[in-house]
Amino acid sequence: MRILWIGHNLGYPPVRGVLMRDYNLLRQAASQCEVHVVAFDQPATRPRNVSAEDCADALRQFCAEVEYIPLASGVFESQKYWLALRGLVSRNPYDINWLASSRMAYLIQRKLERFAFDAIHFDTIGLAQYQEFVAGAGTVLNHHNIESSMMDRRRENEPNRLLRQYWRLEAEKLRRAEQKYCPWFAINIVVSPDDADSLVSLAPGIETRVVANGVDTEFFKPRPDPGGKTLLFCGGLDWYPNGEAMVYFFDEIWPRLSQIDPDVRVLVVGRNPPQWLQQLGASDSRVTVTGFVDDVRPYFQEAAAYFCPIRVGGGTRLKILDALAMGMPLVATSFACSGLPVQHERHALLADTTEAFVDEVIRVLTDPELRKRLAAEGRELVCNKYSWLVIGKSLLDAYRDASGITV
C-alpha cells in the first residue's frame, strides 16, 4: 500500500506523548507500506539544537518522502494568543484555525498530483479541513484524544469564570467540528474503546478502529526494585492534564502524605514546569523538579513507584505504559488509567480520593512483595497488548479497511 500521512508535527524526536505515538506509528506503517509524509513543523515540539531538517531526516530513514512547512502560529506566543482571541468570534475551534494554511493545502494538492495513494492519514481533527482536496483514496482521521471531551473536563476544573466560559465555547465548537468532519472519513482511529464510544455518541454511524498507544518494550526494560521511598511522575507540564494533576497532588495529597511519612521523596520529570512547582522544588529538599530530560529511564530506575493523579484529559497516558514496561508499581486515579485494561490490585493500585491515594502510596512503599507482584503483572500486560509491533498491526488493518484492500 502507498500511504500519505498528513501531520501536525514531524514526529521526532519521540520524547513526548504525541511525538512518540506518531514516530512509532510511522515506523510501523513504513515497515509494510510506502509512506509519504506532509507535515507542519512545530518548533515548540523539538529541542533547540534539533532542526526541522534533522527531524525530517530521521523520518526519511524509513519513509519514502518527507515534506514540511513551518506552522506560523507555532513560532511566536503572541500569534497563539491572537488565534485564541480570534476564536471568540470564529465559528471554528482553535484546533481548526491553528492548522489552517494555504501552503499546506498547496503541498497536499501537489503531492496528490504526483502519486496515487491507497489511504490518506489525517493525524488530528484540526487537519480534517484538508479532506476536501482528497478523492479516490481511503481516508483515515486519527484522534489522539476526543478533543471536545477533554475541553469539557478542562472547563469543569477551571476556577476562573471567564476562562471557564472560554473553554465551554471551545468545547461546543469542537463538538460541532467532530460531528461535521468525522463522517467524512472511512475510518476514525481512536486510542481506546472508551474514546470510540464517546466519538460514536457524537457522530452516530461512523466507523471507528482502536489503535492504542504503545510502548517500546525493548527500550523500556524491567529494572530491579530500588526500594526506598521515592515517587516519580513524568510528563510535559505545559499540557493541561499533567499540570492540573500536579496542582491536585501538591495541594491535597502531598501535605497529608508528607505528614504521615516525612521520608517520602517526589521526582517530577517533564518539560516546562510552572514557576510555582520550580519554587517548591527549590524550597523543599524532598521534591525534585528536573524539567526536560533526554532519557527518563534513569529516573524510572531510581524511584520505588510511579504515581499518576490525572483527573482530566483523554486518550491513554503513554508514560503509564512506559512505567509498567519498566516494571514499576503504579498508583493512579481510575481516570488516569481509562482506556487501559488495568485492574486494581493486579496491575496497579487505583485511588480516586485524596485519602485513598495517600493510603495506597504508603502501602506500596512499605510492601516489597506487593511491588514485585504489581511490577510483574504490569509488564506482562504491556508486552501482550501494547508493544508497538502489536499496535502497528491494528494500524495497518485500519488502512486496509479504509482503502478496501483485502489481504
Side-chain angles (χ1 to χ4, degrees):
M1 285 191 297
R2 181 180 287 146
I3 308 298
L4 175 60
W5 177 292
I6 302 174
H8 60 304
N9 63 66
L10 278 166
Y12 191 86
V15 293
R16 54 186 289 189
V18 171
L19 298 180
M20 191 179 299
R21 174 177 171 84
D22 284 347
Y23 177 81
N24 283 285
L25 289 183
L26 279 165
R27 193 172 61 169
Q28 290 299 320
S31 70
Q32 301 291 324
C33 306
E34 178 186 318
V35 177
H36 296 246
V37 176
V38 174
F40 286 104
D41 166 48
Q42 293 188 52
T45 66
R46 50 183 169 80
R48 292 182 180 179
N49 62 339
V50 177
S51 70
E53 192 62 16
D54 292 334
C55 297
D57 281 342
L59 298 188
R60 290 179 184 126
Q61 299 303 307
F62 46 83
C63 292
E65 287 189 355
V66 179
E67 297 179 81
Y68 61 90
I69 60 171
L71 180 63
S73 58
V75 178
F76 300 111
E77 285 296 320
S78 60
Q79 291 172 310
K80 296 179 182 179
Y81 292 131
W82 167 245
L83 272 178
L85 289 172
R86 197 181 85 185
L88 293 173
V89 295
S90 170
R91 289 183 56 82
N92 292 325
Y94 177 91
D95 290 47
I96 299 291
N97 294 331
W98 176 54
L99 296 174
S101 166
S102 58
R103 288 185 64 188
M104 176 56 75
Y106 171 76
L107 201 58
I108 293 170
Q109 289 174 304
R110 191 180 69 178
K111 178 70 76 172
L112 293 170
E113 289 169 359
R114 295 174 55 215
F115 297 98
F117 293 96
D118 298 300
I120 301 179
H121 175 117
F122 296 75
D123 199 48
T124 187
I125 186 70
L127 295 168
Q129 59 193 295
Y130 299 107
Q131 197 267 2
E132 64 179 296
F133 302 115
V134 174
T139 55
V140 171
L141 178 59
N142 183 45
H143 302 264
H144 293 271
N145 308 282
I146 307 305
E147 299 295 340
S148 61
S149 298
M150 190 166 69
M151 199 60 66
D152 272 331
R153 295 189 187 100
R154 184 165 188 174
R155 171 186 57 81
E156 291 167 1
N157 288 275
E158 176 57 61
N160 183 288
R161 183 175 61 84
L162 291 177
L163 283 176
R164 194 161 59 244
Q165 178 70 357
Y166 177 80
W167 302 134
R168 183 186 67 79
L169 291 172
E170 277 298 297
E172 291 174 356
K173 292 175 184 178
L174 282 165
R175 263 189 296 276
R176 288 198 298 268
E178 289 158 351
Q179 290 166 343
K180 172 184 176 181
Y181 289 118
C182 289
W184 290 12
F185 292 83
I187 300 292
N188 284 265
I189 289 177
V190 292
V191 300
S192 72
D194 289 346
D195 279 9
D197 291 342
S198 296
L199 202 61
V200 170
S201 70
L202 287 170
I206 64 171
E207 289 290 329
T208 63
R209 298 290 186 277
V210 175
V211 178
N213 283 325
V215 61
D216 187 336
T217 53
E218 290 302 310
F219 185 79
F220 292 103
K221 293 182 178 180
R223 90 286 189 264
D225 181 2
K229 296 184 178 181
T230 298
L231 300 172
L232 171 68
F233 177 85
C234 289
L237 296 161
D238 53 356
W239 191 52
Y240 177 75
N242 290 341
E244 196 277 339
M246 291 299 94
V247 171
Y248 168 53
F249 179 82
F250 284 108
D251 278 359
E252 300 188 31
I253 297 171
W254 178 240
R256 302 186 190 200
L257 178 60
S258 58
Q259 184 176 27
I260 293 171
D261 190 342
D263 294 328
V264 174
R265 295 180 60 246
V266 179
L267 278 170
V268 181
V269 178
R271 69 184 183 279
N272 297 331
Q275 188 66 32
W276 69 265
L277 188 54
Q278 295 180 55
Q279 291 172 349
L280 177 63
S283 62
D284 189 335
S285 61
R286 299 167 299 176
V287 178
T288 301
V289 181
T290 68
F292 174 80
V293 299
D294 290 322
D295 188 350
V296 298
R297 289 175 298 174
Y299 298 94
F300 283 129
Q301 291 164 349
E302 179 181 347
Y306 190 86
F307 75 103
C308 191
I310 286 178
R311 303 184 296 175
V312 299
T316 53
R317 264 52 67 176
L318 281 163
K319 286 296 185 290
I320 283 182
L321 296 178
D322 295 346
L324 294 177
M326 290 200 70
M328 291 197 72
L330 168 68
V331 181
T333 58
S334 298
F335 185 85
C337 293
S338 58
L340 299 172
V342 169
Q343 298 175 22
H344 178 54
E345 295 284 350
R346 180 179 178 185
H347 307 107
L349 301 177
L350 304 181
D352 294 320
T353 67
T354 299
E355 294 78 8
F357 209 100
V358 170
D359 290 345
E360 298 294 14
V361 167
I362 294 296
R363 186 176 162 215
V364 79
L365 291 180
T366 55
D367 189 340
E369 287 303 314
L370 174 62
R371 293 199 300 272
K372 181 179 179 181
R373 177 169 56 81
L374 292 173
E377 292 282 0
R379 169 73 184 183
E380 183 178 6
L381 172 69
V382 165
C383 289
N384 289 340
K385 291 184 177 292
Y386 295 104
S387 72
W388 282 115
L389 185 62
V390 173
I391 301 303
K393 292 177 181 176
S394 60
L395 175 68
L396 292 169
D397 287 343
Y399 289 162
R400 291 189 188 99
D401 289 346
S403 66
I405 293 175
T406 57
V407 179

